[in-house]
Amino acid sequence: MSDYLSVSALTKYIKYKFDQDPHLQSILLKGELSNFKKHSSGHLYFNVKDKESVISAMMFKGSASNLNFEPKEGDEVLLEARVSVYERRGNYQIYVNKMQLDGIGNLYQKLEQLKKKLSKEGYFDNSNKKAIPRFPHKIAVLTAGTGAAIRDIHSTINSRFPLVEQIQINTLVQGEKAKDDIIEKIQYADSLGVDTIIVGRGGGSIEDLWNFNEEEVVKAIFNCQTPIISAVGHETDFTLSDFVADVRAATPTQAAVIATPDQFDLMEQIKQYQFTLTRFIKKYIDQQQKHVDYLSSYYKFKQPSLLYDQQIQRRDDLEKRLNQNILNTLEQQRHKLLLTQQRFSLKDLQYNVHDKAQSNDQLKEQLIKILNNKVMSYQNELKYKVENLNNLSPTNTMLRGYAIINKNDKVITSTKDLNVDDNMTLTMKDGTVDAKVTKVRCNDD
């Protein structure tokens, strides 16, 4: 029995062989992601397959955090990984260190990142879109000088609205120098004073159309003051120029349709307007004719003097009343003026002034007498109060032979406040005397 290996021992040996093989420590692998899952721990678990084989794979959280895109089911990827064995299941799998999108996937990744960035900055907001003029005078067409796109645009415009002037601006739409040329031609077209600019080209792969995804081209379209119609690629093709343009056309032909009215539709509208206007004018003339016929049958129009006889007489009456009112008003104002003159005669005014002056002198004399009496009364009252204050003054009392006794800076008014041997000060009219108590005699003793 000792010759038999356990499953775990065999698995460990196989894992050891895988881990020791330098050719399996760093391999470059390409394939399609399937059964993709992102664990709550941040680790990624998925399969990598091609048309014939499938291999299990995982990517630790640390490596996954360095990815510059979000992997998803069906992505074609390029991997850098090592091959090892997962002992618990006995399966071999790869541990991915690096992952990137394969080829065209990188372009789509770059496109999505740039689209999110420009959208966040407001380049695609509908509030920035300009209206396409309904009846343009000039249209600038920016596309390659040869090819189906320019032929479709010109033929469509000529058939729909031949009155418009078409300005063909040959533009590189593919290749390394196309980006700068597109920007330059947009700025040039914007300076021409045209009503609408069509920027377009035929369909192609994402690489062929990539110049219309460049950030500088998007900003050039955004900053253009002239309305722009984007017609890049076929109906299923989308570029960032389509999102920033004022209008996106599915094809160059549709761009020409959007930019111009249809002359045949306009002719039909004109005919309809003409028919409607003619019918309206005829109806209006019939109504006015009936009104004229009605007025012409009125009896006063048959004898026109009836229209103004009464008015002439009424005018004369009003003129007579107006003149009489003017005379009455003048007489009333004249009477009022006479009364005013009588009330404000000079003699009466002088008499009133003299009378008011005498009355003022009398009031002045009365006021002086009242003030003198008040002053004399206040003087007598003040004299009386001064005499009373003087009689009550301690100084006046001392002049009559009295003295003020102080003990410890306190005035003594009773023998009960003194004791034998107390020191005291006698304040008299002409000075002070320091004294000492030798005996105290109270009237109650």
Side-chain angles (χ1 to χ4, degrees):
M1 295 292 293
S2 60
D3 294 333
Y4 291 87
L5 295 174
S6 66
V7 174
S8 59
L10 178 60
T11 303
K12 285 181 181 293
Y13 177 77
I14 295 174
K15 182 178 186 304
Y16 170 78
K17 286 294 186 180
F18 272 72
D19 292 341
Q20 291 299 312
D21 189 339
H23 300 291
L24 301 180
Q25 297 308 301
S26 180
I27 63 169
L28 301 178
L29 193 67
K30 61 183 294 186
E32 178 185 336
L33 299 183
S34 67
N35 199 24
F36 182 86
K37 293 182 180 63
K38 184 174 183 179
H39 195 270
S40 59
S41 63
H43 306 319
L44 306 182
Y45 295 91
F46 51 93
N47 293 332
V48 182
K49 67 179 183 177
D50 56 20
K51 294 181 179 180
E52 298 179 357
S53 301
V54 179
I55 185 172
S56 298
M58 78 158 296
M59 190 174 194
F60 290 109
K61 177 181 178 180
S63 299
S65 63
N66 296 323
L67 293 177
N68 56 6
F69 72 103
E70 288 290 336
K72 63 182 182 299
E73 193 81 11
D75 281 348
E76 294 286 343
V77 294
L78 302 177
L79 305 175
E80 180 181 323
R82 65 182 176 87
V83 184
S84 186
V85 175
Y86 183 47
E87 292 184 52
R88 185 174 180 180
R89 295 194 184 97
N91 295 334
Y92 93 94
Q93 65 181 33
I94 59 172
Y95 293 84
V96 179
N97 297 319
K98 296 180 181 180
M99 180 191 304
Q100 66 182 24
L101 289 170
D102 183 15
I104 190 169
N106 287 328
L107 286 179
Y108 281 115
Q109 174 191 351
K110 182 178 179 181
L111 176 63
E112 286 300 316
Q113 291 175 346
L114 185 56
K115 180 181 176 183
K116 290 180 180 179
K117 172 179 178 293
L118 295 175
S119 178
K120 186 176 181 180
E121 293 174 358
Y123 284 95
F124 305 149
D125 292 351
N126 288 329
S127 59
N128 297 322
K129 306 294 185 184
K130 298 180 285 293
I132 305 301
R134 185 180 179 188
F135 301 105
H137 298 285
K138 294 181 181 180
I139 296 178
V141 181
L142 277 65
T143 187
T146 59
I150 187 62
R151 292 195 302 271
D152 292 344
I153 291 173
H154 284 327
S155 61
T156 303
I157 292 177
N158 289 333
S159 64
R160 287 177 59 82
F161 197 61
L163 295 178
V164 69
E165 178 184 351
Q166 301 181 53
I167 301 176
Q168 169 63 35
I169 302 176
N170 294 334
T171 307
L172 295 176
V173 294
Q174 188 172 332
E176 295 181 0
K177 299 181 179 180
K179 179 185 74 173
D180 295 334
D181 192 58
I182 293 171
I183 295 172
E184 179 185 345
K185 297 303 170 55
I186 289 175
Q187 294 172 347
Y188 171 67
D190 195 28
S191 67
L192 297 179
V194 298
D195 300 292
T196 307
I197 298 173
I198 297 176
V199 178
R201 60 153 288 162
S205 65
I206 187 173
E207 294 93 338
D208 295 336
L209 304 179
W210 187 255
N211 287 291
F212 295 93
N213 291 321
E214 294 286 357
E215 183 174 356
E216 294 86 347
V217 173
V218 171
K219 292 182 177 179
I221 295 175
F222 181 83
N223 294 324
C224 184
Q225 300 301 309
T226 307
I228 290 183
I229 300 174
S230 175
V232 179
H234 297 308
E235 187 171 355
T236 56
D237 296 324
F238 278 93
T239 64
L240 298 184
S241 297
D242 296 329
F243 294 105
V244 73
D246 298 294
V247 175
R248 186 254 176 181
T251 62
T253 299
Q254 187 186 30
V257 171
I258 295 173
T260 58
D262 187 353
Q263 61 174 329
F264 301 105
D265 291 341
L266 292 177
M267 291 299 296
E268 288 298 321
Q269 290 181 12
I270 291 173
K271 290 178 181 179
Q272 184 63 37
Y273 293 151
Q274 184 180 14
F275 173 76
T276 303
L277 184 60
T278 302
R279 186 174 59 179
F280 174 79
I281 292 174
K282 184 178 179 181
K283 182 179 179 180
Y284 180 77
I285 291 175
D286 290 341
Q287 291 175 347
Q288 296 303 312
Q289 184 64 50
K290 290 179 181 179
H291 187 60
V292 170
D293 294 340
Y294 168 76
L295 293 177
S296 62
S297 64
Y298 190 50
Y299 75 96
K300 288 188 177 181
F301 288 128
K302 294 181 179 179
Q303 190 176 351
S305 61
L306 295 176
L307 294 172
Y308 55 82
D309 286 346
Q310 296 290 325
Q311 303 302 323
I312 291 175
Q313 185 176 354
R314 187 168 182 270
R315 185 194 66 80
D316 293 340
D317 290 341
L318 291 174
E319 183 180 2
K320 182 178 178 180
R321 288 170 57 187
L322 178 60
N323 291 333
Q324 187 62 44
N325 287 337
I326 292 174
L327 293 175
N328 292 339
T329 302
L330 289 174
E331 186 61 29
Q332 290 175 1
Q333 296 302 322
R334 189 181 295 110
H335 181 67
K336 287 182 180 180
L337 179 60
L338 181 60
L339 292 177
T340 303
Q341 289 175 343
Q342 291 176 355
R343 287 176 58 190
F344 294 100
S345 63
L346 182 60
K347 184 176 180 181
D348 292 340
L349 182 61
Q350 291 175 343
Y351 174 77
N352 288 334
V353 171
H354 180 70
D355 184 56
K356 296 299 181 182
Q358 288 181 343
S359 176
N360 187 51
D361 292 339
Q362 291 175 1
L363 292 174
K364 183 177 180 182
E365 291 177 359
Q366 292 177 7
L367 181 60
I368 291 173
K369 287 180 180 181
I370 292 172
L371 290 175
N372 288 334
N373 291 336
K374 284 288 184 182
V375 171
M376 185 175 294
S377 174
Y378 290 149
Q379 287 178 345
N380 292 334
E381 185 179 355
L382 179 61
K383 182 178 180 182
Y384 173 74
K385 289 182 178 180
V386 169
E387 289 178 353
N388 286 339
L389 183 61
N390 190 44
N391 290 333
L392 296 174
S393 173
T395 303
N396 198 30
T397 302
M398 288 187 290
L399 289 175
R400 295 198 298 272
Y402 293 96
I404 299 174
I405 302 173
N406 286 279
K407 173 186 171 185
N408 298 328
D409 296 328
K410 182 179 180 182
V411 176
I412 302 301
T413 60
S414 173
T415 57
K416 294 179 180 181
D417 296 329
L418 295 173
N419 297 309
V420 176
D421 294 331
D422 283 347
N423 294 318
M424 58 184 179
T425 302
L426 304 178
T427 303
M428 307 180 73
K429 68 177 182 178
D430 54 356
T432 60
V433 175
D434 294 331
K436 188 173 184 181
V437 178
T438 58
K439 187 176 183 180
V440 178
R441 294 186 293 273
C442 298
N443 292 334
D444 297 337
D445 296 341

